[in-house]
Amino acid sequence: MYLCSRLSRLYGGLLSRPIGRNAQPVWRPLYRSLMLSSQRKIPEFSSFVARTNTCGELRSSHIGQEVTLCGWIQYRRQNIFIVLRDCHGLVQVVIPQDKSATSMKKILCEAPVESVVKVTGTVISRPPGQVNPKMPTGEIEIKVKTAELLNACKKLPFEIKDFVKKTEALRLQYRYLDLRSSQMQYNLRLRSQMVMKMREYLCNLHGFVDIETPTLFKRTPGGAKEFLVPCREPGKFYSLPQSPQQFKQLLMIGGLDRYFQVARCYRDEGSRPDRQPEFTQIDIEMSFVDQTGIQRLIEGLLQYSWPGDKDPIVIPFPSMTFAEALATYGTDKPDTRFGMKIVDTSDIFRNTEIRFLQDALTKPQGTVKAMCVCQGAKYLNRKDIEFIRKFAADHFNQEVLPIFLKANKNWNSPVTKFITEEQRWQLTRLMEIQDEDMVLLTAGQHKKACSLLGKLRLECADLLEMRGVVLRDPTLFSFLWVVDFPLFLPKEENPTELESAHHPFTAPHPSDIHLLYTEPTKVRSQHYDLVLNGSEIGGGSIRIHDAELQHYILAALLKEDVNLLSHLLQALDHGAPPHGGIALGLDRLICLVTGAPNIRDVIAFPKSFRGYDLMSSAPDFVPSEELKHYHIQVSWPTDSEAEKKCIESVTPPRKLSF
Ligand code: ASP
C-alpha cells in the first residue's frame, strides 16, 4: 500500500509537468521514477559501483548516514556549497572551511564546473530557513569528509543548463555533453522504459520471440534507396536492409509463429526533417492472423507501454478508409485533433458564374472542394491570404479563393457578387460556417484539390496557432487506423507504370483479387497504417503467402526482377502459413510521446538533417589504398560539387587529395 502511493507520488511528481515543445524538465529523480513505474519494485541503483547512494535519492530519513556519492559539479556557490548532479538528481554538498580540510577544499573549489568527483560525507539536515522546497533533496545536505577529483572538465563549448540555448549543430558535435541535459536524459529513459514494456507485453504476455535478423543483406527491389556495403569480392555488395521484411516472413515460414524485434533499418532517402538514414522499428510478424488481429495487438501494446504520466489511451482506435482520409483531410495521415474538414461542394456550384470553378466542372473528373477555416476571417490577414494563394500556385499550380464571413454576416470575397443567395445558404448549411470563419474554395481533379486543401489545412492551423488559437492540444494523442489503401499507385516518375503503395508482399483485399487481372489500379490492399496526431507511426499488411500470386504481382504488374526474390518465392512454395505484420517507427512514436521538437531529440547519437554524424564527421573519406581491397575506385566530382555537399560539415571541406 505504502509502496503504491509512494510510486504514484514519485512517478506523478516527475512526469506530470507539461512536456511541451519548449518545456524544460527540472531535475528530479527521474530514472528511479521511470523504473519504479515500469517494474513496480525498487531497482538497486548503487549495486556494483563506487557510490553508496545516488544524488537524487537522499531525504531527511537518511540524516546521520555516511554516504559516498559520485557526480558532476553542477555549480558552486561562495566556495562553500557545491551542487552535485547525477542522472537521479541534485544534492547540495557543504565544503568544510576548517584548516584540516584545506586539501579537500582545494579539490572541490578548483575543479571546474562539470568535473566529475567522488565525495564521502554525512547526510545532515539543512539549517533552519535554508530548506529548498523546490529540490527533492532540499531538506538535507552532505557534510563532506573526503573528496576525490575523478576527472576535471576542460572549457565547455556550452553550459550544461537547460535554459542555455545552443545550436543543434553544436549539440550534435558535442553530443556526449548534450546528453547530460535533463531533457535528453528524460527522452532516452522514457524510450527505454517504453521498449521494456513492449518486450514484456509481446514476449511475456503474448508469446512473441525476439529474433535478430541480418543487417548485411541483398538488394531488395522497389522501395527506398539502400545503402551498399562493399565486400572483398570484386563488384559485389551487400545492402543494408530497409526493414527486416523478408526475414520476418521467412521466420513465419520457418514456423516461428510470432516474431518481434527492435530492429535497425536503413534507408538512403536524403534529407527530410522527420527521417533518419538509420532508424528503429518495433517489427512484428504473426502467423494465422488477420488485419483485426494485428490492430488489436498493437492497441494493446501501446496501451500497455504508454507512460503513466499521460492520460491513458482509449482503445480500440478509430479507423478510416484511405479514400475517406483523402476526401476529408486531403492526406493519408490525417491529424484528427481538429476539424476543418474538406467538403465536396461541386453540386452547389454546378451553375456557377465563377470562371475557374466553371472550367473545372466542365472537365470529366472536375470537382469543387471547400474547407472552412474556423475564425479565419478574424485571425488571418491579407498577407496570410497572399501566402495561401502563392502556396497553392507554387506547389499545386492551383487557384484558391477565400470567402470571409464577417461578424456582420456579410460575405467578403473577390467573387461575392457571383455567389447567389441559394449557394450561400447551401454552403453555410453543408459546411456549418459561422460568423468570422473563412472558406477556401478550390477546383480541379479530386485528388489534387483534396491534397491541396489538406496541406492548406495544416498551414492555416499553424497560422491560427501563431495568433493564439488552440487547435491541436499538445497533451492529446489522437490515434487513427487508415485502411483499404490501393494495392498499387502510378509511379511518380512514370505514371503509366505501377508501384506498390506499401510493399510488393502486401496481399490484395480478398474481394478485389479478380481485379488484379483486369483493373489492377482498382485493387484495394490489406495494408493498414497507424497514424498519431497527423504522423504515420506504423504500417503493415497481411502478406501474400501464395508463390504464384506473388510471382504474378512482381513480374507482371510491378515489372520487378523476380530473380532478386527467388529465395522468398521458393520459400512461399514450401508450406507458408498465412501471415501478416506491422512495424512501428519507434523514433517518431517517442518523439510524439515526449513532445520533442524533432526525432533527433529522442535518439542518442542521431545523424544531422543531412545525414552527417557531426561528432565524428562520418561519412568520411577512405584512402584509395584501402579501397583497393574492395576493388573500388572513386570517380571524384568537381571541386564545386564536392564543396556544395560539404557545407554542413563542421570541419572545413577537406581537399580531395587521395
Ligand atoms: N516492413 C514494413 C515497413 O518497414 C512494415 C511491414 O509491412 O510490416 O514499412
Side-chain angles (χ1 to χ4, degrees):
M1 185 64 198
Y2 166 74
L3 184 63
C4 283
S5 65
R6 191 160 164 259
L7 289 174
S8 71
R9 193 157 48 84
L10 272 171
Y11 196 44
L14 167 74
L15 298 169
S16 57
R17 65 194 165 68
I19 316 258
R21 302 218 162 247
N22 303 315
Q24 294 288 333
V26 285
W27 274 100
R28 297 274 178 98
L30 57 91
Y31 187 46
R32 171 171 287 257
S33 313
L34 288 166
M35 292 299 287
L36 286 174
S37 150
S38 108
Q39 297 187 343
R40 303 259 153 216
K41 66 178 185 198
I42 301 175
E44 187 45 75
F45 292 114
S46 297
S47 43
F48 315 116
V49 295
R51 64 174 181 235
T52 57
N53 296 79
T54 66
C55 294
E57 73 178 311
L58 298 172
R59 301 283 184 278
S60 299
S61 57
H62 295 90
I63 286 172
Q65 282 185 20
E66 175 121 333
V67 295
T68 299
L69 307 176
C70 296
W72 287 262
I73 298 177
Q74 173 97 351
Y75 49 83
R76 185 171 25 239
R77 252 183 317 145
Q78 301 153 353
N79 281 348
I80 300 177
F81 300 106
I82 276 186
V83 172
L84 202 62
R85 183 196 75 234
D86 66 14
C87 58
H88 302 270
L90 302 169
V91 67
Q92 178 160 286
V93 169
V94 195
I95 307 170
Q97 301 297 309
D98 45 299
K99 273 236 162 79
S100 61
T102 317
S103 64
M104 184 203 340
K105 190 174 173 190
K106 192 169 152 56
I107 291 173
L108 292 178
C109 293
E110 287 180 4
V113 166
E114 287 304 313
S115 295
V116 64
V117 294
K118 178 166 122 186
V119 296
T120 299
T122 312
V123 182
I124 56 171
S125 70
R126 290 200 189 186
Q130 288 186 27
V131 166
N132 181 352
K134 288 194 193 138
M135 219 172 155
T137 60
E139 287 180 355
I140 58 98
E141 56 194 12
I142 312 298
K143 192 172 166 212
V144 201
K145 287 197 180 130
T146 64
E148 188 184 336
L149 177 64
L150 299 177
N151 190 287
C153 182
K154 292 233 163 75
K155 189 171 162 17
L156 289 164
F158 51 79
E159 279 186 78
I160 316 289
K161 302 248 164 53
D162 289 329
F163 56 83
V164 173
K165 290 235 176 317
K166 42 243 163 204
T167 63
E168 201 193 22
L170 200 62
R171 287 180 56 204
L172 291 181
Q173 190 184 351
Y174 296 97
R175 191 56 154 187
Y176 46 89
L177 294 178
D178 186 50
L179 290 176
R180 291 183 193 171
S181 73
S182 53
Q183 187 70 65
M184 284 306 300
Q185 293 271 329
Y186 174 84
N187 293 352
L188 294 181
R189 290 174 195 282
L190 183 130
R191 179 179 175 130
S192 156
Q193 186 203 354
M194 277 189 82
V195 171
M196 181 72 200
K197 299 282 282 179
M198 287 179 179
R199 282 186 198 282
E200 207 173 281
Y201 178 84
L202 290 168
C203 295
N204 297 352
L205 301 187
H206 292 284
F208 279 77
V209 190
D210 181 351
I211 302 175
E212 289 157 76
T213 54
T215 46
L216 290 179
F217 190 42
K218 187 183 161 114
R219 209 152 55 84
T220 316
K225 256 210 154 14
E226 291 173 340
F227 288 100
L228 293 179
V229 182
C231 72
R232 63 187 73 202
E233 276 192 61
K236 286 199 174 172
F237 294 83
Y238 293 105
S239 282
L240 299 182
Q242 303 172 32
S243 77
Q245 184 60 39
Q246 292 184 50
F247 290 111
K248 63 177 175 171
Q249 292 192 234
L250 292 164
L251 286 168
M252 294 307 105
I253 300 169
L256 265 302
D257 197 62
R258 289 173 174 227
Y259 142 93
F260 119 90
Q261 179 180 194
V262 181
R264 260 306 136 122
C265 305
Y266 306 86
R267 296 181 194 174
D268 189 6
E269 292 181 317
S271 333
R272 299 230 206 134
D274 62 344
R275 302 247 166 133
Q276 283 276 299
E278 55 180 318
F279 59 96
T280 309
Q281 287 186 343
I282 301 296
D283 198 39
I284 289 172
E285 197 75 10
M286 291 165 93
S287 292
F288 315 112
V289 73
D290 63 7
Q291 182 163 318
T292 313
I294 298 280
Q295 288 175 324
R296 297 299 87 87
L297 172 86
I298 294 303
E299 287 160 355
L301 174 75
L302 286 167
Q303 191 178 52
Y304 189 84
S305 58
W306 201 245
D309 66 315
K310 315 270 182 259
D311 288 341
I313 55 179
V314 180
I315 59 171
F317 302 148
S319 184
M320 187 182 286
T321 64
F322 167 78
E324 190 186 345
L326 181 68
T328 320
Y329 295 95
T331 172
D332 59 358
K333 33 181 180 295
D335 188 339
T336 43
R337 283 175 299 175
F338 68 108
M340 286 169 43
K341 295 181 184 172
I342 300 166
V343 178
D344 191 306
T345 53
S346 308
D347 286 342
I348 298 178
F349 290 102
R350 287 273 170 233
N351 300 316
T352 185
E353 288 174 39
I354 303 169
R355 198 49 194 270
F356 84 101
L357 304 187
Q358 208 180 56
D359 286 352
L361 287 172
T362 54
K363 301 215 170 94
Q365 297 194 344
T367 61
V368 175
K369 304 281 178 188
M371 178 179 69
C372 177
V373 180
C374 302
Q375 307 206 56
K378 183 170 173 192
Y379 288 105
L380 302 188
N381 56 36
R382 181 188 291 262
K383 258 193 151 168
D384 298 328
I385 301 303
E386 267 169 36
F387 165 78
I388 287 170
R389 298 184 94 161
K390 188 167 171 347
F391 181 94
D394 292 352
H395 294 87
F396 289 80
N397 195 19
Q398 284 271 119
E399 205 168 323
V400 172
L401 193 66
I403 305 171
F404 301 93
L405 182 55
K406 294 296 197 185
N408 58 12
K409 298 211 182 321
N410 279 341
W411 286 47
N412 186 354
S413 168
V415 291
T416 313
K417 61 175 186 236
F418 299 114
I419 303 179
T420 64
E421 207 42 55
E422 171 70 8
Q423 285 170 335
R424 273 185 210 198
W425 183 81
Q426 286 183 339
L427 263 187
T428 310
R429 211 183 47 136
L430 187 65
M431 305 190 63
E432 298 175 353
I433 310 170
Q434 312 225 338
D435 294 351
E436 315 219 84
D437 285 351
M438 177 187 73
V439 171
L440 291 177
L441 278 181
T442 193
Q445 187 242 344
H446 172 76
K447 183 163 180 269
K448 196 170 176 194
C450 290
S451 303
L452 166 63
L453 288 184
K455 286 268 185 314
L456 290 180
R457 179 174 175 265
L458 298 178
E459 294 293 339
C460 288
D462 285 347
L463 289 168
L464 290 173
E465 284 181 346
M466 267 157 47
R467 312 273 146 77
V469 181
V470 181
L471 276 179
R472 294 167 290 196
D473 179 352
T475 62
L476 204 72
F477 292 94
S478 190
F479 286 94
L480 176 75
W481 288 110
V482 179
V483 298
D484 286 355
F485 281 83
L487 188 58
F488 305 109
L489 292 172
K491 267 191 186 163
E492 252 171 52
E493 60 281 11
N494 179 4
T496 59
E497 287 178 16
L498 294 179
E499 64 186 1
S500 302
H502 185 45
H503 55 53
F505 315 111
T506 301
H509 199 288
S511 42
D512 292 354
I513 292 186
H514 62 286
L515 294 170
L516 277 175
Y517 308 93
T518 50
E519 291 178 284
T521 50
K522 296 232 167 99
V523 179
R524 288 166 303 157
S525 69
Q526 296 191 62
H527 157 200
Y528 30 81
D529 271 357
L530 182 59
V531 175
L532 172 57
N533 294 354
S535 290
E536 182 196 321
I537 57 155
S541 58
I542 299 303
R543 325 297 184 189
I544 299 166
H545 69 284
D546 174 85
E548 210 176 304
L549 180 60
Q550 183 68 79
H551 188 283
Y552 175 73
I553 287 182
L554 285 168
L557 299 179
L558 297 172
K559 315 269 186 250
E560 293 290 0
D561 177 0
V562 280
N563 290 327
L564 285 171
L565 289 166
S566 53
H567 54 283
L568 185 72
L569 289 166
Q570 199 177 25
L572 288 177
D573 251 342
H574 285 80
H579 59 287
I582 191 165
L584 296 180
L586 184 66
D587 309 301
R588 214 176 282 167
L589 172 65
I590 303 290
C591 183
L592 290 166
V593 173
T594 56
N598 72 60
I599 57 169
R600 296 183 289 281
D601 283 336
V602 298
I603 300 172
F605 296 101
K607 301 285 181 288
S608 71
F609 176 65
R610 288 173 200 239
Y612 289 92
D613 174 355
L614 299 183
M615 193 171 59
S616 70
S617 299
D620 205 356
F621 299 106
V622 173
S624 49
E625 260 320 292
E626 281 175 38
L627 286 180
K628 273 190 192 152
H629 173 75
Y630 302 103
H631 313 274
I632 286 179
Q633 250 187 342
V634 177
S635 127
W636 294 108
T638 60
D639 270 358
S640 62
E641 277 171 351
E643 269 168 29
K644 229 193 275 159
K645 286 198 171 147
C646 284
I647 43 177
E648 201 210 6
S649 175
V650 282
T651 46
R654 282 172 231 191
K655 272 249 148 69
L656 307 173
S657 56
F658 47 88

